[in-house]
Amino acid sequence: MAHILITVSEFPKVTETFVLSNALHYQEQGHRVGIFHVKPFRDAEVVHPHARPILQAGFTFGWFDRRSAAALAAETLRAPHRVLGLFGQIGAAFWREPKRLAATLALFPKATALARHCRREGVDHIHAEFAGYPATAAWVAAKLSGVPFSFSAHAHDIFLTQSLLVTKATEASFVRAISHFNRDFLARIDGFPADKICVLRCGVSLPQEVPVPDLQAGQPLRIVFVGALLPRKGVDVLLRALSDLPQGFEWSLDIIGGGSQDASLRKLAATLTLKNVTFHGPQSSDVVRAAMAEAHVVVVPSREGEGGRSEGIPVVLMEALSLARPVITTRLSGIPELVEDGVTGLLCPPDDVDALRAALLRLREDYPAARAMGRRGRERVAEDFDITKTADALLTRILEV
């Protein structure tokens, strides 16, 4: 039995269900699991019922409370050259990025407390689920405790900045990329140890197959969007695409999720006089799955966000295809590795209103073909994105260290 520690930025987080699913899988295999979250516990987060048992595995330390301050002092006395060396590496990596430098230095006392926790609790391996601050915390804790560490590369955690990334990768046991797109991106970074990269997917649970609803002539096309209401999700593109569909094209749109764009998107829908749009806010997994089960199509119109923020392979696409629902999404990052245009779904260029509208028309005109794509999508998920397989693959790699 191994003691595995997972590091994340925020916990629990509905958009990172794979973290909880992986932790549950490790526990089911008889391993001891802890989840260190950099930021405070998210009390208001909607937690899926199946994941609630893992919440007790989460913990953190204060930014500079009694424990973290004592840990920093003790580690500095125990290994002053090592601590100063870590400070020097951080400063050299981020001197041109003062905000990230300040955030990383603020994290340092917590990371030293994490190192003491790892030694005291007999942690065997630290795995950071994200290459940014979680990997930095894991790197510091590993350097001070002697426990091996690894990290996952998902999306904007590697796109926004590459500072310190080569250092962390060089000292990690392995680097897990969730897509071939990410693997290739990392391998192109000067000095990055490409031989340490392994492509291991994220995944979702594969539910029992539920028949896809029929779409009769004149029946409204039921469209569902699930995700955070943020600029990079492209919901405004979907609303604009719906605003100019041909007369007689009946539809309804359910938007599930919350975020900074909630008010502006509601205003846009009103401005475009879109009367068949319903904003539901954040919902539990049961509600989300029920909405997908009743949908004719799930649309994920992602775009690249500010500063390079981007999707990896959105979990919502995996979930929709696990139910064999037709999907429309964009050619972005690793998405085409799951959604192959015309095979497991329809792809559009990001930010292309006309292309998204054309995809909706194509789906409506030949819905049997769309249903066939959904079925093939489910087969793709079962083969490459089943959480049981993906979590086991990552666990196997961790245990090999």
Side-chain angles (χ1 to χ4, degrees):
M1 181 183 77
H3 186 176
I4 301 168
L5 179 68
I6 302 168
T7 65
V8 296
S9 285
E10 299 178 286
F11 177 84
K13 196 171 183 181
V14 70
T15 55
E16 297 171 7
T17 54
F18 54 87
V19 173
L20 297 176
S21 296
N22 286 352
L24 283 168
H25 179 77
Y26 303 162
Q27 282 190 340
E28 290 166 0
Q29 299 305 305
H31 302 288
R32 185 180 173 190
V33 179
I35 303 177
F36 172 77
H37 45 99
V38 173
K39 297 181 181 180
F41 187 87
R42 293 167 62 96
D43 294 292
E45 190 72 357
V46 175
V47 178
H48 303 335
H50 79 281
R52 287 183 186 136
I54 203 67
L55 294 185
Q56 61 187 1
F59 70 97
T60 192
F61 304 105
W63 295 104
F64 200 66
D65 64 0
R66 178 181 56 81
R67 288 179 298 177
S68 57
L72 178 58
E75 293 299 325
T76 302
L77 289 172
R78 190 179 72 87
H81 294 295
R82 186 168 296 170
V83 171
L84 290 174
L86 290 169
F87 268 111
Q89 287 177 289
I90 290 169
F94 291 111
W95 68 274
R96 293 182 177 176
E97 302 174 79
K99 289 184 179 180
R100 287 197 174 89
L101 174 59
T104 304
L105 292 177
L107 168 64
F108 199 89
K110 281 192 176 195
T112 59
L114 184 61
R116 297 186 81 188
H117 171 88
C118 290
R119 285 200 303 268
R120 183 175 62 249
E121 298 296 326
V123 171
D124 296 300
H125 189 92
I126 309 169
H127 183 76
E129 279 291 0
F130 294 102
Y133 297 119
T136 299
W139 168 65
V140 171
K143 290 285 286 183
L144 295 177
S145 68
V147 175
F149 86 104
S150 54
F151 64 87
S152 294
H154 287 269
H156 54 264
D157 54 328
I158 58 173
F159 301 147
L160 287 177
T161 180
Q162 290 81 53
S163 299
L164 201 63
L165 192 55
V166 170
T167 297
K168 289 184 285 191
T170 300
E171 300 192 25
S173 300
F174 67 91
V175 177
R176 176 258 194 130
I178 60 97
S179 67
H180 294 286
F181 181 94
N182 284 5
R183 178 199 61 193
D184 296 343
F185 178 89
L186 292 171
R188 290 193 297 269
I189 298 172
D190 186 36
F192 198 94
D195 60 316
K196 289 193 174 183
I197 308 171
C198 54
V199 178
L200 299 172
R201 306 290 193 183
C202 286
V204 295
S205 59
L206 199 68
Q208 289 188 335
E209 198 158 359
V210 180
V212 180
D214 289 329
L215 181 59
Q216 305 296 336
Q219 181 182 356
L221 181 73
R222 291 199 293 274
I223 307 165
V224 168
F225 168 86
V226 179
L229 301 185
L230 301 172
R232 68 177 181 270
K233 296 297 184 177
V235 182
D236 58 310
V237 179
L238 174 56
L239 294 176
R240 295 181 193 282
L242 292 170
S243 70
D244 197 25
L245 285 167
Q247 191 171 7
F249 190 122
E250 299 296 329
W251 57 270
S252 65
L253 170 62
D254 291 293
I255 296 176
I256 302 175
S260 62
Q261 281 205 307
D262 186 289
S264 62
L265 289 170
R266 290 174 187 265
K267 183 177 179 180
L268 177 61
T271 300
L272 296 172
T273 63
L274 300 176
K275 298 180 180 179
N276 298 324
V277 179
T278 305
F279 290 82
H280 296 273
Q283 299 293 330
S284 69
S285 61
D286 294 341
V287 174
V288 171
R289 183 154 290 183
M292 286 187 179
E294 296 173 359
H296 292 115
V297 59
V298 176
V299 180
V300 183
S302 302
R303 57 153 74 99
E304 185 173 303
E306 182 182 0
R309 289 185 177 273
S310 181
E311 306 278 16
I313 302 178
V315 171
V316 66
L317 285 172
M318 303 177 203
E319 291 175 338
L321 289 175
S322 75
L323 288 165
R325 269 31 187 188
V327 299
I328 299 174
T329 186
T330 54
R331 293 185 185 88
L332 184 70
S333 187
I335 290 175
E337 296 175 36
L338 171 63
V339 181
E340 185 179 353
D341 191 34
V343 179
T344 57
L346 296 178
L347 290 174
C348 307
D351 269 324
D352 194 326
V353 173
D354 292 337
L356 180 51
R357 185 183 300 116
L360 288 166
L361 287 166
R362 176 181 172 184
L363 182 138
R364 170 101 220 191
E365 290 167 1
D366 192 354
Y367 197 65
R371 293 176 69 170
M373 283 187 269
R375 288 193 296 272
R376 289 191 293 269
R378 178 180 166 88
E379 292 169 2
R380 178 74 56 86
V381 170
E383 182 177 352
D384 295 328
F385 298 89
D386 182 341
I387 189 62
T388 302
K389 295 179 181 178
T390 60
D392 198 58
L394 181 54
L395 174 61
T396 297
R397 188 67 186 84
I398 288 171
L399 296 178
E400 288 173 351
V401 174

